[in-house]
Amino acid sequence: GGGIGVTETWLKKHTLLYKGATRHPFILSIRDGTLDLSAFKQWLGQDYIFVRNFVPFVANVLQKASKASDDKDGDVEVVLGGIASLSDELTWFKNEASKWDVMLHGVAPQKTNQDYCRFLESLMSAEVEYAVAVTAFWAIETVYQKSFAFCLEDGSQTPAELLDTCQRWGNEGFGQYCQTLQGIANRCLEKATDDIRSKAEATFISVLEYEIEFWNMSQGRD
Ligand code: HMH
């Protein structure tokens, strides 16, 4: 306890990868107003599919928390809140898609998206420890929070029609939620064995790589 957490040391150690995920050209082009709107629509359709697959993953994190956490009540409350906001998020996707004339039901998942969803599924195995799964959960949410918050910072020229999307993940409340998840991950990782900690670090790195691939895909680069 006290001092710098395990996840903070990883963010420093893997800065280049972390910047790759949170300062990706896709995000930079939202921020400077040069994003091709067809790329945005592409992202919207693919991310809806991703979030639908993310829900069972988070439900599995909830299940692991209720069995394995040393603060079951606290962690279950936080993760359950996350599931509730994912329900709002799916509603948001449907509204946003209709605004942009994106037919969500006609969207086929691209290979990069399928690979990422398969990775989420692998983390749902009973053999994957709570510390590993909650680390992945924190990292996945944090990449979006940091990426979209950057599009709202002073000096950004995000077009008005993309502000709602940026606010969805870039808002202060979502930032607080990500910090809460980070605190949970840190607590679990501190108590974990070296073996589990290194599995969690490898999982963290994989999340960053998948997130970069997801942005690449959305730009039509895969
Ligand atoms: C690809 N990563 C991706 N999509 C999301 N919606 C999030 C993270 C955050 O929920």
Side-chain angles (χ1 to χ4, degrees):
I4 192 166
V6 175
T7 58
E8 284 84 358
T9 68
W10 293 347
L11 289 170
K12 283 214 178 78
K13 184 174 168 192
H14 305 291
T15 305
L16 276 177
L17 203 52
Y18 181 61
K19 294 290 170 205
T22 59
R23 298 291 183 265
H24 189 277
F26 185 87
I27 284 298
L28 300 182
S29 70
I30 289 177
R31 195 185 193 268
D32 68 15
T34 62
L35 182 72
D36 177 6
L37 292 180
S38 75
F40 178 77
K41 290 186 187 188
Q42 164 80 359
W43 165 82
L44 192 72
Q46 293 297 317
D47 208 47
Y48 172 72
I49 295 170
F50 176 84
V51 173
R52 288 191 58 132
N53 285 279
F54 189 49
V55 170
F57 164 74
V58 180
N60 179 263
V61 174
L62 180 82
Q63 192 175 9
K64 285 180 163 114
S66 78
K67 288 183 179 171
S69 172
D70 45 31
D71 180 11
K72 292 185 177 61
D73 291 357
D75 290 7
V76 163
E77 189 175 315
V78 172
V79 179
L80 187 56
I83 292 173
S85 57
L86 285 170
S87 171
D88 289 347
E89 204 165 294
L90 288 170
T91 304
W92 178 85
F93 270 103
K94 286 169 198 157
N95 286 319
E96 199 67 16
S98 99
K99 275 195 227 166
W100 291 89
D101 288 312
V102 173
M103 301 296 152
L104 288 181
H105 297 284
V107 177
Q110 291 199 27
K111 186 183 178 296
T112 297
N113 199 356
Q114 286 174 349
D115 290 347
Y116 198 177
C117 292
R118 253 194 296 275
F119 170 72
L120 289 182
E121 243 182 85
S122 74
L123 294 175
M124 291 166 64
S125 157
E127 274 113 83
V128 174
E129 295 82 3
Y130 175 54
V132 175
V134 80
T135 296
F137 182 33
W138 158 72
I140 292 166
E141 296 287 45
T142 296
V143 167
Y144 263 43
Q145 205 282 324
K146 295 294 180 191
S147 296
F148 285 113
F150 188 56
C151 301
L152 299 171
E153 278 179 15
D154 286 348
S156 64
Q157 297 172 68
T158 301
E161 65 267 31
L162 299 181
L163 281 176
D164 197 58
T165 299
C166 298
Q167 250 132 22
R168 167 117 230 129
W169 289 276
N171 76 79
E172 191 94 3
F174 195 72
Q176 279 298 321
Y177 165 67
C178 289
Q179 281 190 29
T180 303
L181 293 179
Q182 185 169 20
I184 292 172
N186 280 340
R187 192 195 73 231
C188 294
L189 292 166
E190 186 143 342
K191 290 172 181 165
T193 61
D194 287 346
D195 177 55
I196 291 172
R197 226 183 344 263
S198 63
K199 275 195 232 167
E201 184 175 7
T203 301
F204 167 68
I205 290 167
S206 292
V207 166
L208 296 180
E209 289 170 344
Y210 280 116
E211 289 290 338
I212 291 167
E213 286 304 311
F214 202 92
W215 294 132
N216 286 343
M217 171 192 74
S218 302
Q219 285 199 317
R221 289 189 184 183
D222 74 331

